[in-house]
């Protein structure tokens, strides 16, 4: 396989070199952090009063963990290290779990973030001559502009399509020969189910790749996308707090995501105790941003669950790979006392061939018990079959789910187009139970 690098030297650097870069950048970040109201309060309490108090990477552990709550409580300027005249851009998170948080970028920060984005794009083999249709929303959300800047830097032709208006999206793909999409996996699946309606088929398109991210999805969802479109789908991970997309990206081997360790220090902790977990074991991803000085953020608890791979990647990159995001630490559902992650449900239903491109998980109270309903869209041809066949399929889905999550959900089967469609991040779980 042909391997392209954006910056071969750092992408293939040995561990010692990467750690040396991390240490030097961490010291610089602590220097910047000491200009923010938040860290001015926090760092002296752990004995850090100057960058010289960081002597080795082990000293990172002294720095207190930071949470989304810290960002919210210190909104809007508690993490700002520079005068706003130095800031060239702000972004916010999409607010999936509450009030959005804000980030600030100086010109140098934006340049560094763009470079990491470019590196991610090149890792997938996308290059000058490719046409990228960026279907993430433009604006405060990082998914639009940050990908846009990175792709321009590599030299791709960028179509800033933003999200929504499926008919126009398909027209753009046809008119400009789009080869690469940047899109949420749920919206990409949805688009496939509408192609016929707009008189198009996959054969009319020139698609080769998709960067899919911004929301959790299973390996079976990726496979489904790849089969439906005949393309390669690369997992793209990022979060606004770490500058948006491009924190970790899959290379051509598509064997989970290289996390760019010269730009972000990766830790995985047990979310309950805060202790580090060994490589290979699932935990909460904690990230230290090493490239954003206008708004330092160190040891940020992402609430995303993943594990670290230890085996090397054949592409030659030495930056460690994290698994796909297995969910958020706060998206666990407790159904009649059983802990269930929505990702477990998705993994099962997406490998059932009759299942179409959309689903939703619904939880409600029935008397004192919780009732779990999994609503699934089928491909339309399924509804031409007999009622008996439909019942058999319901039982099959329900049995397969029980084998994975131990409880038996109620299965509702729907025709395509019935369940709500999301052009940005999908809302997969609707929990109608009263919160205590
Ligand atoms: P919000 O936290 O409001 O959703 P962001 O827009 O910053 O704000 O989204 C970042 C979050 O999106 C990540 O923390 C993660 O939960 C999710 N996410 C981003 N990319 C992926 C991906 N490839 N796989 C799974 N989840 C992802
Ligand atoms: Zn690789």
């Amino acid at each position: 396989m042909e391997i392209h690098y954006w910056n071969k030297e750092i992408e293939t650097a040995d561990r010692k070199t990467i750690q040396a870069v991390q240490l030097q950048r961490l010291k610089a970040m602590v220097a910047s952090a000491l200009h923010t109201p938040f860290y001015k309060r926090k760092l002296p309490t752990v004995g850090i009063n100057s960058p010289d108090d960081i002597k080795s990477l082990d000293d990172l552990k002294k720095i207190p963990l930071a949470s989304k709550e810290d960002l919210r409580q210190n909104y809007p300027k508690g993490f700002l290290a520079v005068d706003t005249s130095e800031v060239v851009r702000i972004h916010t998170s999409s607010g999936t779990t509450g009030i959005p948080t804000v980030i600030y970028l100086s010109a140098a920060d934006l340049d560094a973030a763009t470079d990491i984005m470019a590196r991610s794009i090149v890792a997938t083999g996308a290059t000058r001559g490719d046409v990228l249709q960026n279907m993430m929303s433009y604006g405060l959300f990082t998914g639009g502009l940050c990908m846009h800047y990175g792709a321009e830097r590599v030299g791709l032709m960028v179509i800033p399509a933003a999200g929504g208006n499926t008919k126009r999206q398909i027209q753009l793909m046809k008119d400009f020969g789009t080869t690469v999409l940047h899109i949420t996996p749920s919206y990409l699946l949805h688009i496939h189910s509408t192609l016929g309606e707009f008189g198009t088929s996959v054969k009319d398109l020139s698609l080769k790749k998709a960067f899919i991210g911004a929301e959790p999805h299973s390996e079976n969802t990726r496979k489904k996308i790849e089969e439906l479109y005949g393309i390669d789908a690369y997992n793209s991970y990022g979060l606004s707090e770490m500058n948006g997309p491009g924190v970790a990206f899959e290379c051509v081997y598509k064997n989970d995501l290289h996390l760019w360790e010269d730009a972000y220090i990766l830790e995985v902790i047990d979310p309950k105790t805060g202790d580090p977990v060994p490589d290979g074991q699932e935990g909460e991803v904690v990230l230290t941003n090493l490239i954003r000085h206008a708004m330092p953020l160190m040891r940020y608890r992402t609430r995303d669950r993943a594990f670290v791979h230890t085996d090397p990647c054949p592409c030659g990159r030495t930056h460690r790979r994290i698994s796909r995001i297995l969910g958020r630490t706060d998206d666990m559902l407790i159904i009649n006392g059983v802990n269930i992650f929505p990702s477990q449900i998705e993994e099962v239903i997406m490998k059932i061939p009759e299942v179409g491109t959309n689903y939703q998980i619904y939880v409600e109270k029935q008397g004192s018990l919780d009732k779990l309903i999994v609503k699934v869209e089928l491909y339309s041809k399924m509804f031409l079959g007999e009622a008996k066949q439909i019942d058999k399929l319901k039982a099959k889905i329900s049995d397969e789910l029980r084998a994975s999550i131990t409880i038996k959900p109620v299965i509702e089967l729907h025709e395509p187009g019935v369940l709500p469609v999301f052009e940005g991040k999908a809302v997969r779980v609707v929990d109608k139970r009263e919160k205590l």
Side-chain angles (χ1 to χ4, degrees), residues 292-359:
R292 190 182 61 218
H293 288 271
M295 187 201 154
L297 185 55
M298 300 180 287
R299 304 198 78 209
Y300 178 65
R301 297 188 62 159
T302 63
R303 304 194 290 185
D304 293 324
R305 294 183 301 113
F307 61 86
V308 176
H309 288 280
T310 47
D311 53 323
C313 183
C315 76
R317 289 182 181 81
T318 46
H319 298 239
R320 287 178 299 165
R321 279 146 38 239
I322 55 165
S323 68
R324 65 178 53 257
I325 302 300
L326 305 160
R328 294 193 182 207
T329 52
D330 50 5
D331 72 0
M332 188 177 75
L333 291 164
I334 304 181
I335 315 268
N336 297 323
V338 180
N339 298 348
I340 296 169
F341 286 104
S343 54
Q344 292 175 285
I345 297 179
E346 179 177 315
E347 184 70 27
V348 171
I349 58 180
M350 281 297 165
K351 69 166 190 270
I352 298 177
E354 293 90 343
V355 169
T357 53
N358 203 355
Y359 75 94

Side-chain angles (χ1 to χ4, degrees), residues 44-61:
T45 65
V46 294
I48 302 176
N49 296 294
S50 102
D52 294 335
D53 293 322
I54 303 290
K55 299 206 162 34
S56 75
L57 279 180
D58 277 346
D59 290 333
L60 175 72
K61 302 273 182 302

Side-chain angles (χ1 to χ4, degrees), residues 188-197 228-229 357 377 379 416-417:
L188 186 51
L189 282 172
H190 168 71
I191 288 179
H192 190 271
S193 66
T194 67
L195 287 177
E197 192 183 316
L228 288 174
Y229 285 96
T357 53
E377 281 185 10
Y379 289 116

Side-chain angles (χ1 to χ4, degrees), residues 1-73:
M1 206 161 331
E2 214 182 329
I3 312 288
H4 297 274
Y5 302 99
W6 178 248
N7 180 343
K8 185 168 183 190
E9 198 180 332
I10 190 66
E11 288 173 57
T12 60
D14 59 24
R15 194 111 295 265
K16 232 176 87 197
T17 307
I18 293 177
Q19 286 175 342
V21 172
Q22 287 185 329
L23 178 60
Q24 180 228 331
R25 290 188 169 175
L26 180 63
K27 281 164 154 289
M29 197 46 76
V30 165
S32 295
L34 285 164
H35 293 286
T36 71
F38 179 80
Y39 286 113
K40 240 187 239 168
R41 275 198 314 274
K42 290 269 178 176
L43 291 182
T45 65
V46 294
I48 302 176
N49 296 294
S50 102
D52 294 335
D53 293 322
I54 303 290
K55 299 206 162 34
S56 75
L57 279 180
D58 277 346
D59 290 333
L60 175 72
K61 302 273 182 302
K62 290 188 193 158
I63 299 173
L65 292 163
S67 66
K68 195 135 192 150
E69 213 32 57
D70 289 322
L71 290 173
R72 286 180 180 146
Q73 277 168 11

Side-chain angles (χ1 to χ4, degrees), residues 68 72 92-101 141-143 185 212-217 234-242 244 248 257 300 302-304 324-328 425:
K68 195 135 192 150
R72 286 180 180 146
T92 68
S93 70
S94 34
T96 311
T97 57
I99 309 164
T101 52
F141 178 54
T142 49
I212 54 173
E215 62 186 18
H217 55 282
Y234 299 87
N235 196 348
S236 143
Y237 171 70
L239 59 162
S240 58
E241 293 84 353
M242 293 294 132
L257 308 90
Y300 178 65
T302 63
R303 304 194 290 185
D304 293 324
R324 65 178 53 257
I325 302 300
L326 305 160
R328 294 193 182 207
K425 289 173 191 262

Side-chain angles (χ1 to χ4, degrees), residues 172-436:
L172 288 168
M173 288 184 214
K174 285 208 246 180
D175 292 349
F176 299 104
T178 301
T179 56
V180 185
L181 298 176
H182 179 218
I183 187 169
T184 58
S186 55
Y187 191 37
L188 186 51
L189 282 172
H190 168 71
I191 288 179
H192 190 271
S193 66
T194 67
L195 287 177
E197 192 183 316
F198 298 124
T200 306
S201 84
V202 166
K203 288 198 294 291
D204 303 325
L205 308 175
S206 317
L207 294 179
K208 289 193 290 200
K209 294 181 171 59
F211 305 153
I212 54 173
E215 62 186 18
H217 55 282
S218 61
E219 185 58 31
N220 287 328
T221 294
R222 182 231 295 267
K223 284 198 188 119
K224 182 165 213 146
I225 287 172
E226 294 192 323
E227 278 161 23
L228 288 174
Y229 285 96
I231 58 172
D232 288 303
Y234 299 87
N235 196 348
S236 143
Y237 171 70
L239 59 162
S240 58
E241 293 84 353
M242 293 294 132
N243 301 340
V247 173
F249 229 82
E250 282 186 323
C251 69
V252 284
Y253 288 95
K254 295 188 294 187
N255 55 1
D256 284 343
L257 308 90
H258 289 282
L259 192 134
W260 304 121
E261 294 185 273
D262 56 323
Y264 304 99
I265 300 179
L266 167 67
E267 297 171 83
V268 181
I269 63 165
D270 176 332
K272 290 210 182 74
T273 62
D275 294 334
V277 303
D279 285 350
Q281 196 173 309
E282 188 181 321
E284 179 178 354
V285 175
V286 170
L287 295 171
T288 295
N289 192 322
L290 295 175
I291 55 169
R292 190 182 61 218
H293 288 271
M295 187 201 154
L297 185 55
M298 300 180 287
R299 304 198 78 209
Y300 178 65
R301 297 188 62 159
T302 63
R303 304 194 290 185
D304 293 324
R305 294 183 301 113
F307 61 86
V308 176
H309 288 280
T310 47
D311 53 323
C313 183
C315 76
R317 289 182 181 81
T318 46
H319 298 239
R320 287 178 299 165
R321 279 146 38 239
I322 55 165
S323 68
R324 65 178 53 257
I325 302 300
L326 305 160
R328 294 193 182 207
T329 52
D330 50 5
D331 72 0
M332 188 177 75
L333 291 164
I334 304 181
I335 315 268
N336 297 323
V338 180
N339 298 348
I340 296 169
F341 286 104
S343 54
Q344 292 175 285
I345 297 179
E346 179 177 315
E347 184 70 27
V348 171
I349 58 180
M350 281 297 165
K351 69 166 190 270
I352 298 177
E354 293 90 343
V355 169
T357 53
N358 203 355
Y359 75 94
Q360 197 163 42
I361 298 163
Y362 213 83
V363 194
E364 60 185 33
K365 270 277 181 232
Q366 195 173 46
S368 60
L369 287 179
D370 300 324
K371 185 172 167 191
L372 171 67
I373 307 166
V374 179
K375 302 181 177 193
V376 174
E377 281 185 10
L378 300 181
Y379 289 116
S380 52
K381 56 181 185 298
M382 277 309 298
F383 283 92
L384 303 172
E386 290 170 31
K388 228 166 66 192
Q389 254 182 325
I390 297 273
D391 285 343
K392 235 166 99 186
L393 180 58
K394 266 192 199 173
K396 174 172 143 187
I397 299 175
S398 173
D399 287 347
E400 290 204 15
L401 278 172
R402 186 172 46 186
S404 162
I405 60 175
T406 72
I407 63 169
K408 201 175 165 79
V410 174
I411 307 294
E412 274 183 21
L413 299 180
H414 295 278
E415 288 190 61
V418 169
L419 298 177
V421 174
F422 299 91
E423 286 152 357
K425 289 173 191 262
V427 178
R428 294 298 198 188
V429 180
V430 179
D431 194 340
K432 289 284 183 193
R433 295 173 296 183
E434 261 175 41
K435 293 272 181 305
L436 291 177

